[in-house]
Structures are given as structure tokens and as C-alpha cells.
Amino acid sequence: MDLELTGKRAIVTGGSRGIGKAIARELAREGADVVIAARGKDKLEATAAELSAETGRRVVPLVVDTGNETSVNALVERAVAALGGVDILVNNAALPGGISPATRLDQILDEQVIEDINIKVVGYLRTARAVAPHLVANGWGRIINIGGLAVRKTGRPVATLRNVGVAAITKNLADELGPKGINVTVVHPGATRTERTRSESEQDLAASVSIGRIVDAREVAYVVAFLASPRSVAINGDAVVAGGGSVGPIYY
């Protein structure tokens, strides 16, 4: 299937490593030019050079702190200038698993909760708010928010909270922007193999995954690339789970 992404222009936050890097690679392989954004300048530049050489597309590294409105607005302005516009936003800038390690009520620290929500939920809103006028002017666009399967589990209350928040803003944005040609979706990865994953942790996690192994970051990226394409118009406001399936529960 031709995903009709050739010539599209994308911003991927958290794009220097992990799932974000895999998403940027896949969008570029499908013909998009991509701005990757994150906090670390050196890693961003190395990743941009690697992906550009591999795909032959423009991959532009831009430093951003999505916890700061001024930084986000500057990112979008610079991305539009660099690419000549923007069609796709992938919100991925957040620490995998979250900042708060709390598993019980008495372990929760207010400052960790506030930082987690500021980066992953409010940060996604900031970036969508800055990008949306450009998509509306185009009459077309895609926003894909990367959540996480903690949205469906207890045991990590702050991790659950931030991913439920991402799902909630996704639906609100989808209803507002859908009539203007912009689809907004959320992808919930589960445990995912990245450059940071240890093989022993993969083995521990595999038993809870329906396909018998954890998924690779590139397999999550395939899903995101489809959602970023014009072919995905029938999906709006909903969550797409990309974790290989959870053994046991039935969702409907």
C-alpha cells in the first residue's frame, strides 16, 4: 500500500532515540521530510545525520523543552521555516514509564506528578496548540499522540494518570479538528524493544504478551506511519494499542 506520505512534512518530538527515532525513520522511509525534536543537541544531530543518510530525506534536528511554552512555540516556528510547512505531528516527548516510580499512595510525590503531567499531557497540548493553525490552514493534517499501556493497568498510579490524560486530550482534539480535515489518534505501546532494552527484561515481559515476545520500536512505527497517512481517515479520536496483545483481558 502506498501511504501517500511522499512530500509530507512531519514533526516528531522525542525523536532522537527509542520509539520516536523509529517513527522518524519510518516516516522518512515513506517519503516525508522530518523535524526531530528533543532536549539533547548532540544526540539529536547524530540521529538526524544517521536517518538522513539512510533514507535520503531531510531530517532536521531542533532542540526543544516541551515543558515550556516558549520553547514549543519556537520549535514549531523553526520547523515550519525549515520544512516549508507542517502536515503531521507525532507527540512522543516523555520519559518512558514516567518520572514517578510510585506504586503506592504513600510513595507519590506532588512534584513528580506535576512534572509528569506537565511534560506528557500539557506538553502534548502545547505542541498540538502550536501546530494546529498550520494544519487548519492546510485543510489536512494528522496528530498522533504516543501514550502507553499503563492506561489499562493499575499498580503505577501516576503512569496511568498521564496516559489516561493523553487519551482524553486526543478525543477532545479529534472532535474539534476532525471537521477541519485533521485526524487525531493515540497509540499505546506496551513493553517495546529499543536500544535501551535488556534481553533479560524482554524474557520476563514476554509471557504477558499474546504474540509471545515484546514488539520492536520499528513495529510501533509501522502503526504510526499508517495513522499519519491519508489512508487512515476512518480512524479518529480512538486509541490504537501496539503492544503485541495483552494475555487475558478482553477489551471491546
Side-chain angles (χ1 to χ4, degrees):
M1 180 187 293
D2 177 8
L3 294 183
E4 300 178 3
L5 285 171
T6 299
K8 297 295 187 187
R9 300 153 300 183
I11 299 172
V12 180
T13 67
S16 63
R17 65 185 75 203
I19 290 174
K21 178 179 177 179
I23 291 168
R25 172 184 282 116
E26 199 58 33
L27 292 175
R29 287 183 60 199
E30 291 291 336
D33 292 324
V34 184
V35 162
I36 57 172
R39 293 185 183 185
K41 182 174 183 288
D42 292 345
K43 182 61 178 175
L44 269 173
E45 291 179 348
T47 297
E50 175 189 342
L51 298 186
S52 182
E54 179 183 329
T55 65
R57 303 301 303 188
R58 292 193 66 202
V59 181
V60 180
L62 294 177
V63 174
V64 70
D65 174 6
T66 58
N68 179 278
E69 180 183 2
T70 301
S71 181
V72 167
N73 291 343
L75 162 70
V76 174
E77 184 177 336
R78 293 170 66 198
V80 167
L83 300 182
V86 61
D87 306 291
I88 298 158
L89 169 64
V90 181
N91 273 318
N92 177 65
L95 181 68
I99 296 161
S100 172
T103 59
R104 302 193 315 268
L105 188 60
D106 61 1
Q107 296 173 338
I108 295 173
L109 302 177
D110 287 8
E111 57 269 26
Q112 291 180 338
V113 178
I114 292 166
E115 188 173 1
D116 256 334
I117 298 303
N118 183 43
I119 292 172
K120 187 154 190 175
V121 183
V122 184
Y124 283 17
L125 275 174
R126 283 187 192 101
T127 315
R129 182 177 61 199
V131 169
H134 299 280
L135 306 185
V136 171
N138 295 344
W140 187 91
R142 296 287 184 267
I143 299 173
I144 302 100
N145 296 319
I146 306 302
L149 272 180
V151 74
R152 291 185 171 180
K153 298 177 182 178
T154 59
R156 291 282 308 283
V158 181
T160 301
L161 173 64
R162 68 184 196 146
N163 286 304
V164 169
V166 169
I169 64 173
T170 296
K171 178 57 175 166
N172 277 272
L173 293 175
D175 285 357
E176 177 182 350
L177 299 175
K180 300 174 183 178
I182 302 154
N183 287 43
V184 188
T185 50
V186 56
V187 173
H188 292 312
T192 304
R193 182 186 303 114
T194 69
E195 60 268 31
R196 294 179 170 184
T197 310
R198 293 176 290 112
S199 58
E200 58 269 27
S201 64
E202 286 194 34
Q203 294 169 3
D204 293 339
L205 294 165
S208 64
V209 183
S210 296
I211 61 173
R213 62 171 178 84
I214 69 171
V215 301
D216 190 86
R218 72 180 187 277
E219 294 166 327
V220 177
Y222 297 152
V223 175
V224 174
F226 170 71
L227 293 172
S229 81
R231 302 285 193 178
S232 69
V233 67
I235 305 172
N236 192 37
D238 287 319
V240 177
V241 175
S246 299
V247 172
I250 299 171
Y251 298 98
Y252 57 92

